[in-house]
Amino acid sequence: MTRTARPALGTVIFFAVAFALGIYFTFAAVQGDYGLFRRAEIDAEARDLAAQLMAVQYEVAEMENLTRRLSDDYLDLDLLDEQARSILGMLRSDEIVIR
């Protein structure tokens, strides 16, 4: 009876499956739905959205200021005059129009 010096087929299959699973989980950890690249995309998107939020908050503060200045409690006559002239297209008697 002679013995061959080749490894058992079960051992080869075990290591092949283990290697394939290792490759799969490594790929999923880097490029999967919850991987490192997706995390970087989410962080960049969060920074962009935070910048947009700051811009919108600034615009809202400006609008609240203008609204308060035209309210009944605090009336800014210069702003009221400016708004009325721009909306109605009227001019004051001392203004000069150059076309």
Side-chain angles (χ1 to χ4, degrees):
M1 216 189 299
T2 61
R3 268 191 115 178
T4 59
R6 64 179 189 162
L9 187 59
T11 305
V12 171
I13 291 174
F14 172 77
F15 282 112
V17 169
F19 180 74
L21 286 174
I23 294 294
Y24 171 75
F25 286 122
T26 302
F27 179 79
V30 173
Q31 291 189 351
D33 291 339
Y34 302 102
L36 295 175
F37 290 151
R38 180 67 179 141
R39 175 63 184 224
E41 290 175 1
I42 290 172
D43 289 342
E45 185 178 352
R47 283 191 300 273
D48 291 342
L49 290 175
Q52 288 179 3
L53 176 64
M54 299 246 330
V56 168
Q57 285 175 339
Y58 179 74
E59 290 178 19
V60 167
E62 283 183 5
M63 292 298 204
E64 286 175 348
N65 182 26
L66 290 176
T67 303
R68 187 177 79 71
R69 288 172 54 193
L70 290 175
S71 69
D72 292 337
D73 299 334
Y74 178 88
L75 183 59
D76 186 356
L77 294 178
D78 291 332
L79 179 63
L80 179 63
D81 181 51
E82 176 188 336
Q83 291 292 321
R85 286 188 294 122
S86 69
I87 291 172
L88 298 175
M90 301 186 72
L91 299 174
R92 291 192 311 237
S93 62
D94 60 345
E95 285 184 320
I96 298 172
V97 178
I98 299 174
R99 290 186 183 206

